[in-house]
Amino acid sequence: MSTLNASFIIEITKRDFAERFAGSVLGSLWAIIWPVVNLFIYIVIFGKIMGARLPGTSEINAYGIYLAAGLIPWTAFSSTISRCASAFIDKKHIITKVNTSLPSLMIHINLSESITYFISMLVFFVILAFQGHEFHRELMLLPFLYYLQQLLAMSLGLFAAVLNVFIRDVREITGVILQLWFWFTPIVYVFDILPGVVRRLMAYNPACIIIQSYQRIFVFDDYPPFHALIQLTVITHVLLFFSFVLFRHLEKDIRDFL
Amino acid sequence: MMEPLFLLCWTGLFFAGLFLIRRKIASGVRLYLLLMLNLIFLAGVFYFYPAIKRDASIKRGSLPSARETISICCFPAVGD
């Protein structure tokens, strides 16, 4: 197995980012325009024009902030999984020509999604500051939460990527699962409206723990559920371990198959 | 002030561990050690942070009783 190469990862991340906006007049500015437009929709359209209110809070923009706090991390999480799932097939031309370590493709996707996430969060913070939102100490936990969420996304993505080489349906199945997962996680609706049975099931939904942590930090100025986060950390690492063991076991076959 | 200090020190320790593993450990077991280090790092943040927070909040107010001090030191709070 070839070792991870930092300069290679940075190079393909740069190229990935440049390719996304290649040929457009505004170029990389689109990376800022998109989050601004999305946040405008969440906060102004949903919060102010449609008048959606968050139960238990008096703030007018609370629902918009609640939406943004859930959708920004979810977008990074789901994009990482779906892009990782097809990484080996999509980067076939690189894998077959350059002797590169396959996990570096996962890391470059993570890095690329992290840039988008960072820009979105930056725009979100600027909007919150303009609205006079108070920033609390709990925000210090955001990098750790993000790190955990991306590790989980990478472990699931690696597992799907290995399977996708042999069974091409995995890419489509991943898309379907992510769509169902989105609606099974309280991102656009509030956790409290769920019936009791579903609420109990939510304890087994890792995305719910992550998204709720963000919502607690941004909207309710509260601490994330630490106990659940510790459990999720252990589960994530076990998943990452098994995904990697499976990948190592099949690496030669993956290269032959491609 | 305690919480940012803890997060900084803990992250610093994690990076020192990363550096040591990258430099001193053979590549065969490196990845598994990195996974272990990651696990300890993240679980440590989520385990110790609420304990430190509770400790700090008590210090800002009145002095804790002997019983509270023992419970903080021996049984740090975990959970929400």
Side-chain angles (χ1 to χ4, degrees), chain B residues 11-62:
Chain B
T11 312
L13 271 174
F14 169 66
F15 279 111
L18 271 185
F19 181 76
L20 275 176
I21 289 173
R22 208 176 147 76
R23 280 288 164 97
K24 304 274 178 196
I25 308 290
S27 61
V29 284
R30 193 185 285 162
L31 197 110
Y32 301 106
L33 274 175
L34 281 176
L35 267 179
M36 282 294 286
L37 184 71
N38 250 317
L39 174 64
I40 293 166
F41 169 64
L42 275 176
V45 168
F46 299 130
Y47 184 82
F48 292 119
Y49 190 91
I52 283 169
K53 170 74 187 165
R54 192 173 76 163
D55 196 6
S57 62
I58 288 172
K59 272 179 192 158
R60 273 199 294 274
S62 58

Side-chain angles (χ1 to χ4, degrees), chain A residues 3-4 6 137-138 140-141 144-145 147-148 151 216 223-230 233-234 237 240-241 244-245 248, chain B residues 1-4 7 11 14 22 27-28 31-32 35-36 38-39 41-43 45-47 49-50 53 60 78-80:
Chain A
T3 52
L4 290 174
R137 272 191 182 178
E138 299 91 81
M140 288 186 304
L141 289 168
F144 305 98
L145 259 180
Y147 186 44
L148 175 62
L151 274 180
R216 278 195 192 192
Y223 283 96
F226 287 111
H227 192 71
L229 283 173
I230 293 171
T233 305
V234 176
H237 284 81
L240 198 56
F241 174 78
F244 196 76
V245 168
R248 274 216 163 160
Chain B
M1 198 54 206
M2 278 291 283
E3 302 100 302
L7 291 177
T11 312
F14 169 66
R22 208 176 147 76
S27 61
L31 197 110
Y32 301 106
L35 267 179
M36 282 294 286
N38 250 317
L39 174 64
F41 169 64
L42 275 176
V45 168
F46 299 130
Y47 184 82
Y49 190 91
K53 170 74 187 165
R60 273 199 294 274
V78 181
D80 22 337

Side-chain angles (χ1 to χ4, degrees), chain A residues 33-76:
Chain A
I33 296 170
W34 268 114
V36 171
V37 172
N38 284 335
L39 287 167
F40 174 80
I41 294 167
Y42 305 151
I43 295 174
V44 179
I45 308 279
F46 282 103
K48 289 196 171 155
I49 298 172
M50 287 174 69
R53 294 284 173 270
L54 195 67
T57 54
S58 54
E59 209 181 319
I60 303 164
N61 296 322
Y63 182 68
I65 297 168
Y66 180 85
L67 257 186
L71 280 170
I72 295 172
W74 172 263
T75 308

Side-chain angles (χ1 to χ4, degrees), chain A residues 73-244:
Chain A
W74 172 263
T75 308
F77 180 72
S78 63
S79 302
T80 307
I81 296 177
S82 61
R83 286 183 66 195
C84 281
S86 57
F88 296 155
I89 305 290
D90 292 345
K91 302 284 177 193
K92 200 168 143 181
H93 57 287
I94 297 178
I95 298 167
T96 47
K97 281 177 195 155
V98 186
N99 181 27
T100 176
S101 102
L102 298 182
S104 51
L105 295 173
M106 306 283 142
I107 297 171
H108 115 263
I109 290 168
N110 241 313
L111 215 61
S112 167
E113 289 303 324
S114 298
I115 295 168
T116 315
Y117 170 88
F118 181 73
I119 295 169
S120 302
M121 271 294 169
L122 207 67
V123 175
F124 186 37
F125 271 93
V126 170
I127 292 173
L128 287 180
F130 269 111
Q131 289 188 332
H133 187 86
E134 273 183 51
F135 293 106
H136 293 265
R137 272 191 182 178
E138 299 91 81
L139 288 170
M140 288 186 304
L141 289 168
L142 282 187
F144 305 98
L145 259 180
Y146 180 70
Y147 186 44
L148 175 62
Q149 118 188 7
Q150 289 307 95
L151 274 180
L152 177 65
M154 205 169 86
S155 59
L156 294 172
L158 180 63
F159 181 73
V162 171
L163 294 183
N164 193 33
V165 175
F166 308 103
I167 313 157
R168 296 291 163 99
D169 296 306
V170 170
R171 186 186 193 160
E172 304 306 320
I173 294 168
T174 309
V176 172
I177 290 173
L178 282 173
Q179 189 68 14
L180 288 171
W181 203 354
F182 173 79
W183 290 106
F184 195 66
T185 306
I187 297 171
V188 290
Y189 56 88
V190 185
F191 182 79
D192 296 339
I193 64 161
L194 293 169
V197 187
V198 185
R199 262 195 241 184
R200 277 192 291 279
L201 280 175
M202 282 291 178
Y204 303 100
N205 178 359
C208 177
I209 297 165
I210 292 167
I211 300 298
Q212 268 204 327
S213 302
Y214 278 95
Q215 289 163 344
R216 278 195 192 192
I217 289 173
F218 277 107
V219 186
F220 305 107
D221 299 327
D222 195 3
Y223 283 96
F226 287 111
H227 192 71
L229 283 173
I230 293 171
Q231 288 174 349
L232 186 59
T233 305
V234 176
I235 292 166
T236 300
H237 284 81
V238 171
L239 270 173
L240 198 56
F241 174 78
F242 280 111
S243 298
F244 196 76

